[in-house]
Structures are given as structure tokens and as C-alpha cells.
Amino acid sequence: MKKEDFLNLKAWFKDYVRSFHSEDTLILQNVRLKEEHTSRVCENSSRIAISEKLDEEDYYLAVTIALLHDIGRFEQISKYKTFHDSESENHALLGVRVLRSAGVLSFLSKKEQDIIFTAIENHNLQKIPDGLDGKTLLHSKLVRDADKVDIYKVLTDFYLIKAISPNPALEHGLPDDEKYSAHLIQDIFNNKISSIKGVRNCNDMNLTRLTWLFDLNFIETFRLVKERGYIEKMIATFPQNSETNAVHVHLNKYLDSMLDNA
């Protein structure tokens, strides 16, 4: 891909998003939220791509995937008024359908289109499927990292205002109490990525998100997490006790070990 290709897609993206602007406050709030999220994921992807010394073609492929990774979110929030796939539909697959229907990538080679579609399909999975070629795997990993880092920002920003400015599209309808599940704490100590199946409350959901740290792929991603203090911000949402303090220490040790071995 070339810079001009990316800029043309960026212009299309802006027009597409504008078509979802609504007088419905919930929809407009979340369209803007995802538009801002997309912009930051592009910035994260750019930093990671530069740190990995990707050539021009792969650099613009990476930021294009970042630009389009959540394209399904706009139809999702407009149609279902939620971002929860379990209550609506898989936003990644929806996004691929949107792009195919619009034909906006038809000027690209089949190989480039396949990489973009596959990376989008994989960006919200718990685990990337086996069997991908090296270039597709690279771009699948890169957008997942860039996305996860900004989801931490979206969530930690939301926790600060949740009590006075709730957003049903971001909430899972889970109890917000002081409890949390022991097996999720153990997953962290085992450096294991947790499943969201069976989470019981908000603390459980946030513990699963902390295990995303074990699914990050690039040193620059770890730098971004540390630079922006996301572990501390996430830990601050839990009851403060010896167990959550131990989780905090463990995650920081893991993060520092990844950076020290760079």
C-alpha cells in the first residue's frame, strides 16, 4: 500500500462515520467515542510499525487495518445501541461485510484485501487462529496490540466518570460489587489469558482485561502500557487488599521483564 491509498480510505472513513451521526444522544456519543478510538489505534499502530521498522507498504497496510478494524461498530451501535457482541452480533465480521459490500478496498490487490479482512476478523478473538502466513500473522498481531492499548484508555477514562455519566453501550449489565473470582487471579499469576465466559461481575471482567498483557506481541506495545500507566489505572478499579496488590506487583514485574529483555 501507499500513503495515497491510506489517505483515500481515511476520507472514505470520515464520510462513512458521518452518515451515522444521529439526534439520538446515545448513538452520537458512541459514534464519536469509536471515531476517537480509531484515531488513537491508528497512532498506536504507527508507533508499533515504526518501532518494528516496517517498510512503507507494510506501514500503510498496518495503519489502514487500524483505521478499518472497528468499522462494524458504527452499524452495530446504530442498530443495536450496544457494543456487546453477545447482545448484537460480532462486530469484526460485521465490519468485513460492510467493507465487502461497499467495495472500498477493490482497488487493492487480492493479497492486500485478504490481509486486511483477516486481521479485522481476528482482532477481537481470544486467540489468533493457527495457520496464517507470516505477513497476515504480523498484521493480525499488530492491530490487536494497538487496539488493546487504546481499549485500556477507553475503559480507564470511563471508570473515572461512570458514576456521573453512565454509558450503557460500554457496560455489560454486570454487578459492580467488591467480589472477584479466585480462578481469574490465578490466571494472572500463571501468565494465562482468561476467557470472559462465566465472569460474574465488573471486577471479573476487568481481571480478564488485565490478562491481555500476556497476549501482547511487540516491545513498543509494552512501552505504551508502561508509559501510560494502564496497569495502575486498572488496578485502582479493584478493592485494595493484599491479593490485588500482589496482582499489581506481578503484572509490573512481567511488564518490566518484557522491556528488560528487549
Side-chain angles (χ1 to χ4, degrees), residues 29-237:
Q29 171 190 12
N30 285 290
V31 165
R32 287 175 171 163
L33 183 149
K34 282 300 176 183
E35 188 173 15
E36 293 165 2
H37 164 69
T38 296
S39 178
R40 293 191 300 267
V41 174
C42 286
E43 292 170 4
N44 293 341
S45 289
S46 177
R47 277 189 59 167
I48 297 168
I50 290 170
S51 74
E52 292 295 309
K53 298 180 171 57
L54 299 191
D55 62 22
E56 181 182 18
E57 176 184 309
D58 277 318
Y59 173 87
Y60 283 109
L61 193 54
V63 292
T64 293
I65 292 166
L67 177 73
L68 301 176
H69 82 284
D70 262 357
I71 199 71
R73 289 297 199 187
F74 301 101
E75 184 173 325
Q76 183 185 44
I77 191 63
S78 179
K79 184 176 181 180
Y80 301 104
K81 295 191 176 182
T82 184
F83 288 136
H84 299 307
D85 290 6
S86 61
E87 298 172 10
S88 53
E89 59 182 301
N90 184 319
H91 75 277
L93 300 182
L94 175 58
V96 169
R97 291 203 305 276
V98 167
L99 293 171
R100 289 188 185 278
S101 177
V104 69
L105 302 180
S106 59
F107 69 95
L108 297 175
S109 69
K110 184 178 184 305
K111 176 62 176 175
E112 288 175 320
Q113 291 183 57
D114 287 345
I115 291 171
I116 293 170
F117 291 142
T118 302
I120 292 172
E121 288 175 352
N122 289 338
H123 88 270
N124 64 332
L125 299 179
Q126 184 176 351
K127 180 179 180 295
I128 297 174
D130 296 330
L132 299 183
D133 65 83
K135 193 165 185 172
T136 305
L137 182 61
L138 167 69
H139 285 288
S140 293
K141 287 180 175 179
L142 202 156
V143 71
R144 284 165 66 89
D145 274 30
D147 187 38
K148 284 182 172 68
V149 170
D150 197 66
I151 292 173
Y152 281 143
K153 173 177 172 53
V154 171
L155 293 173
T156 53
D157 285 355
F158 176 58
Y159 299 147
L160 294 176
I161 63 170
K162 180 179 176 181
I164 60 173
S165 183
N167 184 349
L170 291 178
E171 298 172 19
H172 287 262
L174 294 168
D176 191 4
D177 54 43
E178 296 287 296
K179 298 177 182 178
Y180 50 81
S181 296
H183 74 277
L184 296 174
I185 296 288
Q186 198 57 49
D187 282 349
I188 290 176
F189 291 137
N190 291 333
N191 297 351
K192 177 184 174 182
I193 304 162
S194 298
S195 169
I196 65 170
K197 292 181 179 178
V199 298
R200 300 184 304 173
N201 57 19
C202 292
N203 284 334
D204 278 4
M205 185 61 72
N206 288 336
L207 285 171
T208 69
R209 289 159 173 161
L210 281 172
T211 69
W212 290 350
L213 194 69
F214 310 126
D215 189 45
L216 300 183
N217 300 283
F218 302 97
I219 293 303
E220 188 65 18
T221 317
F222 290 105
R223 290 194 187 105
L224 287 168
V225 171
K226 187 174 182 67
E227 174 186 307
R228 297 171 183 175
Y230 290 138
I231 291 177
E232 286 68 29
K233 291 175 181 178
M234 290 290 287
I235 290 292
T237 69

